[in-house]
Amino acid sequence: HLLACHCSSQGRNAGMKDEQPQKKEILLLPPPDSVGSMRKRLLDELKSIDMSLKDTPMAPPAYFRSGVSDRIQNILKNVRIINDTDPIWDDVEKVVLEESGNFKTNLMMLSDGKADETDYRIALLLRCGLGVSSIAALISKAKSTVSKRCRQLGKKLFCEELDTKSLVCLIRQL
């Protein structure tokens, strides 16, 4: 329900002729869902929509068009890592945001701001279709460490640990 309140303002111009009282409209919105209930509703909705998509390609088309995919594959092939300051992070973010403009905002909102830079980068790489082994190689972490970070990210976002495939399906919708 939206409620509107019209108020007349008669401040310092109250005695002047031909002066129309100013009207202010104040809209009162219903209280928003709590983040927790919104998170639960989103998780239920995303699970029902997306579990059927577990085996479909998940990378944004721009990932391949932009050449970022080739650069990532080249890094993997040459057994290199992506440094924190490498400009490829900006390129990866750009291709994800091209398809999902609110990706970072949604990720941060769902995590109550608890997702750190590593979480964000893992989410970006998952969104681009990279698996845990590839992500581990790219960020120079053990596969088990990346798997654990994925479970923790699921818990930060949805208050429950998720397997990586489920997390990927949900991240694709952000």
Side-chain angles (χ1 to χ4, degrees):
H1 300 274
L2 291 178
L3 301 175
C5 174
H6 296 283
C7 304
S8 35
S9 172
Q10 296 185 4
R12 43 187 180 152
N13 298 334
M16 300 182 99
K17 285 199 248 179
D18 301 327
E19 188 72 33
Q20 292 291 331
Q22 296 177 350
K23 291 186 178 183
K24 290 185 180 180
E25 188 170 306
I26 301 170
L27 296 178
L28 301 176
L29 302 174
D33 288 341
S34 71
V35 173
S37 65
M38 182 170 36
R39 183 181 292 118
K40 171 105 175 78
R41 190 174 66 241
L42 181 60
L43 179 61
D44 292 342
E45 189 177 314
L46 292 176
K47 278 184 176 178
S48 70
I49 292 170
D50 216 24
M51 290 305 124
S52 63
L53 299 176
K54 280 187 176 182
D55 299 321
T56 60
M58 58 197 77
Y63 177 67
F64 300 104
R65 281 194 317 266
S66 67
V68 172
S69 172
D70 293 336
R71 289 169 50 207
I72 294 280
Q73 293 307 312
N74 189 36
I75 291 169
L76 287 168
K77 186 171 68 175
N78 293 319
V79 193
R80 292 185 21 234
I81 64 167
I82 303 176
N83 296 324
D84 288 343
T85 58
D86 194 312
I88 198 165
W89 287 118
D90 294 333
D91 297 337
V92 171
E93 181 180 48
K94 183 179 175 184
V95 297
V96 169
L97 294 178
E98 185 177 311
E99 182 167 301
S100 305
N102 293 324
F103 183 82
K104 187 171 189 175
T105 302
N106 291 339
L107 188 84
M108 296 312 280
M109 188 255 330
L110 285 171
S111 73
D112 289 331
K114 294 176 186 166
D116 61 21
E117 190 67 22
T118 301
D119 292 327
Y120 181 60
R121 288 178 174 173
I122 288 173
L124 286 171
L125 295 173
L126 288 170
R127 181 65 183 87
C128 287
L130 293 159
V132 172
S133 296
S134 296
I135 294 170
L138 290 169
I139 64 172
S140 188
K141 301 287 182 200
K143 182 180 173 184
S144 61
T145 301
V146 174
S147 292
K148 182 178 179 181
R149 288 295 298 241
C150 287
R151 286 191 306 277
Q152 291 171 338
L153 181 57
K155 191 158 181 102
K156 285 178 186 179
L157 297 175
F158 299 106
C159 298
E160 63 182 74
E161 284 191 5
L162 301 171
D163 63 87
T164 303
K165 282 190 175 188
S166 297
L167 178 64
V168 169
C169 288
L170 295 170
I171 282 177
R172 290 171 58 194
Q173 299 303 310
L174 296 180

